[in-house]
């Protein structure tokens, strides 16, 4: 499949897997649009898991390969959907899998929502 004439999107998490995807695409001469999905609260809120370091890594990797990075704030959607799902399952005595729900509802749900001002490019 020839990707040279396609617009490509990469969701960067700040981790190894998405960074390697960007590296491989750049190695092929491609320059995808990069997106970081922010699911944590604003920095002034109390939170044990800060997204600051992940965003710094995603920013560094995208800049290393000359790619644009857009931060997409999905905190409210994450809280309203994934956290609610998790708490409902725990209250029911079940063991939830919030990662699966995040993938379904946020990465491939809210991120592609029709209310986005401009639709993202085609994800790889």
């Amino acid at each position: 499949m020839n990707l040279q004439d396609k617009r490509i999107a990469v969701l960067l998490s700040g981790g190894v897997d998405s960074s390697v995807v960007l590296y491989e695409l750049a190695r092929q001469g491609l320059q995808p649009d990069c997106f970081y999905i922010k699911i944590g609260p604003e920095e002034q809120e109390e939170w044990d898991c800060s997204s600051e370091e992940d965003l710094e890594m995603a920013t560094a990797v995208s800049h290393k390969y000359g790619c644009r990075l857009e931060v997409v704030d999905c905190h409210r959607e994450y809280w309203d959907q994934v956290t609610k799902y998790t708490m409902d399952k725990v209250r029911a005595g079940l063991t939830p899998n919030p990662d699966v729900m995040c993938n379904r509802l946020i990465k491939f749900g809210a991120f592609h929502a029709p209310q986005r001002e401009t639709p993202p490019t085609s994800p790889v």
Side-chain angles (χ1 to χ4, degrees):
M1 179 161 113
N2 182 10
L3 297 176
Q4 296 298 329
D5 58 345
K6 304 280 185 196
R7 287 189 66 200
I8 300 169
V10 173
L11 296 178
L12 285 177
S13 66
V16 174
D17 294 346
S18 59
S19 297
V20 169
V21 167
L22 183 55
Y23 162 79
E24 287 295 332
L25 290 169
R27 196 169 65 87
Q28 294 176 42
L30 302 169
Q31 203 169 25
D33 294 320
C34 298
F35 297 87
Y36 175 83
I37 298 178
K38 183 176 187 270
I39 58 171
E42 295 302 320
E43 297 306 323
Q44 66 266 22
E45 294 182 39
E46 277 295 315
W47 197 258
D48 289 338
C49 183
S50 170
S51 61
E52 187 176 327
E53 188 175 312
D54 291 337
L55 180 54
E56 286 175 5
M57 291 302 294
T59 300
V61 169
S62 65
H63 288 160
K64 177 180 177 87
Y65 298 107
C67 298
R68 177 180 79 84
L69 178 68
E70 179 183 335
V71 177
V72 180
D73 189 349
C74 289
H75 169 66
R76 180 56 41 209
E77 292 88 347
Y78 186 86
W79 185 261
D80 291 346
Q81 297 175 35
V82 178
T83 303
K84 180 186 179 316
Y85 154 82
T86 302
M87 298 308 293
D88 289 348
K89 294 299 181 188
V90 168
R91 285 186 190 111
L94 301 170
T95 304
N97 189 335
D99 290 339
V100 169
M101 294 308 285
C102 181
N103 287 344
R104 190 176 108 204
L105 299 171
I106 305 301
K107 289 182 183 174
F108 304 108
F111 180 71
H112 285 293
Q115 69 270 16
R116 282 185 52 85
E117 197 170 295
T118 55
T121 53
S122 300
V124 172

